[in-house]
Amino acid sequence: MVELEFQQKTKALIDSLKSICANYGLGNDGNEFKIITQTFLYKFLNDKFAFEAKKLDETIAKAPKWEEAITSMSEDDIDMLQLQMGGDTARLKPQHFISYLFGKQNAPDFAKLFDDTLMDIAITNNDVFAVKTDGGAKVVLFDRISQYIADDSKRDAFCRAIINKLVEFSFERIFTQKFDFYATIFEYLIKDYNSNSGSKYAEYFTPHAVARIMAEILVPKAERGTVKNVACYDPSAGSGTLLMNVAHAIGENRCSIYTQDISQKSSSLLRLNLILNNLVHSIPNVIQGNTVLHPYHKDGKNLKRFDYIVSNPPFKLNFSDFRDDLYTKENKERFFAGIPKVPPKDKDKMAIYQLFLQHIIASLKANGKAAVVVPTGFITAQSGIDKDIRKYLVTNKMLAGVVSMPSNIFATTGTNVSILFIDASNKGDVVLVDASNLGDKVKDGKNQKTVLSAAEEQQIIDVFNAKQAMEDFSVVVSYEEIAAKNYSLSAGQYFDVKIEYVDITPEQFAQKMQGFTHNLDGLFSQSRELEAEIKKQLAGLKYAK
């Protein structure tokens, strides 16, 4: 009941913040998402600080107003309190509290005070909460929010409207909630920002069905509790949906997250997702940059290798402007199957996922596991880079299997997708699942998508993890069988061809044959009539100047 109540209150807060933006001319503006996500984050950090302070100090917990109890403490006592809180709680000063700003809202230049407060919080927490670029620069927690209001005479009122919404309730009672609660909140928070200037960027947001299937197969329930001190990586992380699911399966305190993504927007969303999901310790590993051209995570000069890798890489993206830069000595081993050619007409059709897939294989530990979303065409291509990658995986015996998903599992693309599971330690059989017939078609705005039920998701997971063959659904094959099928990873090519036999009497057989003969006689007769009509029409054609 508490969970449902606070989900509703949290969503109401998000809606209220969006309404404020709309009232000040920022509805659907490119900067609206920055204001909403950063304001939400400020509220979350403020209430998390209060929650931790009350756990540590009984006087603060019993005080009618916790902020006043902390303000009355000496600087040394406040510093000691914050040291006890640990690294996942932001360091805040009394003048950073929402209640302090609420009390100052009628002061002149309130917008400047509001912005200065957020910037000071960002600077104070820069070492822990800043995202880095591949060039080493730090992207801090907050911007100056009021700058997005073009009319500076309205900035004070805008910031007052925000601060008045932030004091209406506290998150404190929900900090004991787990991943599923925050996943729902995070998805609601960014649902209107899963676009960029009107064009969808589906690579940043993966459906939860896909994310859950990947996590449950990579980290089966039977292995939970035994996995610890592992490194999880996504080279095209987006907002982090895949990594959050894997971290939840392993245990947030048992793993470290490493990411890279070229988008500054998605890196900021990923940071927020890590904060919400108790993975603050991994924020220093969040890198905004070009993974294909400048992979950041390394051990010395070599790529860092990871225990778990998940990725939903872009399938088609123009990288022709830096393609020639990929031909280096260091990349020869990384891109072992080759670099995609530039299409003669449409450069946006470049198969960039082939580069990400090779990068993932090169970044995997000797006993590591990976799950990658690929276009279904990858699993059956008869030649080229796709086939060379599959051949490499089979020859080196590092496949776990493939799940071919239903069409439109991503509402924003009609491309059929499959999930490729790589397991460098699997020297035995491989599981191929054809889940293309599962799910129900539903409308998602102007698009249609396929939604799997919880039971269907579980069926895929259970069959794969048990290496179970199921008629017209899954097969278990050897590496030798895959090689004999030209390295095809499509389950359908391994299904048995079924011929149904029906017992009939000689009289029934004669009757069926008579029926076939009668039908053929009719078709042949129609054919002769059609031939005669065509000849007649041709004979009637005359030349005219």
Side-chain angles (χ1 to χ4, degrees):
M1 189 64 183
V2 170
E3 181 180 341
L4 181 60
E5 174 192 348
F6 272 85
Q7 272 193 356
Q8 292 169 345
K9 286 184 176 181
T10 305
K11 290 178 180 180
L13 170 64
I14 295 166
D15 290 340
S16 295
L17 294 174
K18 290 179 179 179
S19 177
I20 291 170
C21 287
N23 290 339
Y24 284 84
L26 293 171
N28 297 318
D29 181 270
N31 295 310
E32 184 192 24
F33 110 93
K34 294 181 182 178
I35 296 169
I36 301 300
T37 54
Q38 291 184 38
T39 303
F40 180 90
L41 177 57
Y42 173 43
K43 171 66 173 171
F44 187 89
L45 295 179
N46 183 92
D47 293 355
K48 181 73 159 52
F49 183 95
F51 175 76
E52 296 297 337
K54 291 176 182 179
K55 279 202 308 182
L56 293 168
D57 192 305
E58 191 174 343
T59 302
I60 297 172
K62 290 182 177 180
K65 294 184 177 180
W66 64 269
E67 301 96 332
E68 293 180 358
I70 292 177
T71 303
S72 66
M73 296 168 64
S74 68
E75 284 189 24
D76 288 343
D77 287 342
I78 293 176
D79 287 342
M80 182 57 67
L81 179 68
Q82 293 190 331
L83 284 173
Q84 291 176 288
M85 287 182 182
D88 62 345
T89 304
R91 294 177 66 85
L92 300 182
K93 306 169 187 175
Q95 62 267 33
H96 292 157
F97 299 154
I98 288 172
S99 61
Y100 178 84
L101 287 182
F102 180 75
K104 294 283 187 178
Q105 62 178 297
N106 293 319
D109 295 328
F110 178 70
K112 183 178 184 303
L113 175 62
F114 187 91
D115 288 343
D116 286 348
T117 299
L118 295 187
M119 295 306 296
D120 194 40
I121 294 172
I123 293 167
T124 303
N125 294 277
N126 205 29
D127 290 344
V128 176
F129 289 91
V131 169
K132 286 185 291 189
T133 68
D134 55 9
K138 288 190 173 182
V139 182
V140 298
L141 272 173
F142 300 113
D143 297 322
R144 291 188 173 275
I145 284 178
S146 71
Q147 70 178 329
Y148 301 117
I149 303 295
D151 185 347
D152 58 6
S153 68
K154 296 181 179 179
R155 290 177 179 175
D156 286 351
F158 174 70
C159 292
R160 278 196 294 268
I162 288 177
I163 209 69
N164 276 290
K165 283 297 175 188
L166 298 187
V167 297
E168 290 183 356
F169 87 103
S170 173
F171 285 133
E172 289 179 51
R173 288 171 62 199
I174 62 170
F175 287 120
T176 54
Q177 298 295 327
K178 297 297 182 183
F179 165 78
D180 294 329
F181 176 86
Y182 292 113
T184 302
I185 291 301
F186 182 78
E187 184 174 348
Y188 189 80
L189 179 66
I190 70 166
K191 67 182 177 68
D192 293 333
Y193 311 119
N194 194 32
S195 61
N196 191 359
S197 301
S199 61
K200 294 292 181 181
Y201 57 102
E203 65 269 25
Y204 295 159
F205 197 80
T206 307
H208 279 297
V210 175
R212 178 173 175 257
I213 289 168
M214 291 168 77
E216 294 281 340
I217 289 175
L218 284 178
V219 192
K221 283 187 170 60
E223 296 179 11
R224 308 280 170 89
T226 62
V227 179
K228 58 183 178 180
N229 299 325
V230 293
C232 306
Y233 175 53
D234 189 338
S236 56
S239 58
T241 301
L242 295 178
L243 283 169
M244 295 306 104
N245 278 267
V246 171
H248 176 55
I250 296 170
E252 291 83 0
N253 61 341
R254 292 171 171 266
C255 64
S256 295
I257 301 298
Y258 293 80
T259 76
Q260 191 164 349
D261 195 288
I262 200 167
S263 166
Q264 184 174 325
K265 175 186 284 186
S266 64
S267 296
S268 296
L269 290 174
L270 173 57
R271 171 172 55 190
L272 174 57
N273 216 356
L274 290 171
I275 292 170
L276 293 181
N277 285 288
N278 200 32
L279 286 158
V280 171
H281 62 274
S282 290
I283 290 178
N285 305 326
V286 175
I287 303 300
Q288 186 245 310
N290 187 330
T291 306
V292 172
L293 184 60
H294 299 298
Y296 181 86
H297 298 292
K298 293 186 175 182
D299 285 329
K301 291 185 178 181
N302 299 320
L303 290 176
K304 182 176 177 63
R305 293 180 179 266
F306 299 93
D307 301 282
Y308 295 93
I309 304 178
V310 288
S311 182
N312 175 21
F315 290 174
K316 300 170 184 177
L317 194 68
N318 181 4
F319 61 94
S320 58
D321 58 338
F322 64 85
R323 181 181 181 275
D324 291 344
D325 296 332
L326 298 177
Y327 287 98
T328 65
K329 183 179 179 181
E330 294 78 12
N331 281 336
K332 190 171 183 181
E333 184 177 351
R334 181 165 68 130
F335 301 129
F336 58 86
I339 297 171
K341 295 179 180 178
V342 177
K345 293 183 179 180
D346 192 350
K347 292 181 180 179
D348 287 335
K349 300 297 183 184
M350 297 181 76
I352 193 170
Y353 75 89
Q354 295 173 340
L355 295 176
F356 274 99
L357 191 47
Q358 293 176 83
H359 172 79
I360 287 166
I361 294 169
S363 301
L364 201 61
K365 281 186 177 180
N367 60 344
K369 296 181 180 181
V372 189
V373 179
V374 295
T376 293
F378 164 83
I379 67 176
T380 56
Q382 296 299 300
S383 61
I385 294 174
D386 285 342
K387 183 183 176 183
D388 287 343
I389 294 173
R390 299 198 312 270
K391 185 176 180 180
Y392 180 93
L393 293 172
V394 171
T395 302
N396 290 279
K397 294 188 174 181
M398 51 190 305
L399 260 177
V402 171
V403 176
S404 296
M405 301 297 289
S407 60
N408 298 114
I409 196 74
F410 289 81
T412 50
T413 175
T415 304
N416 288 343
V417 304
S418 295
I419 308 172
L420 175 71
F421 290 92
I422 303 170
D423 185 347
S425 65
N426 181 41
K427 307 306 178 185
D429 291 334
V430 175
V431 187
L432 305 177
V433 178
D434 181 3
S436 60
N437 294 320
L438 299 184
D440 293 318
K441 306 290 184 185
V442 299
K443 289 290 289 182
D444 183 19
K446 296 180 181 179
N447 302 309
Q448 178 176 271
K449 70 176 180 180
T450 302
V451 177
L452 296 175
S453 68
E456 288 172 327
E457 290 179 29
Q458 199 60 49
Q459 180 186 4
I460 294 170
I461 294 164
D462 291 344
V463 164
F464 195 104
N465 285 340
K467 288 193 173 184
Q468 178 184 352
M470 184 178 292
E471 186 175 334
D472 293 334
F473 185 70
S474 63
V475 291
V476 180
V477 295
S478 67
Y479 285 111
E480 291 73 23
E481 288 175 282
I482 296 174
K485 289 280 190 180
N486 204 23
Y487 302 98
S488 171
L489 302 179
S490 172
Q493 294 199 19
Y494 298 86
F495 289 154
D496 292 331
V497 177
K498 297 184 293 295
I499 301 176
E500 294 185 3
Y501 295 92
V502 179
D503 290 332
I504 58 175
T505 65
E507 291 76 14
Q508 289 172 324
F509 176 78
Q511 188 177 357
K512 281 184 176 292
M513 294 304 296
Q514 185 179 357
F516 294 150
T517 302
H518 177 74
N519 288 337
L520 280 173
D521 288 342
L523 292 171
F524 290 155
S525 176
Q526 291 177 30
S527 175
R528 287 191 290 271
E529 291 175 4
L530 184 59
E531 290 173 10
E533 181 62 26
I534 292 172
K535 288 179 180 178
K536 180 180 176 182
Q537 294 293 334
L538 287 173
L541 292 175
K542 294 182 179 180
Y543 175 77
K545 291 185 180 180

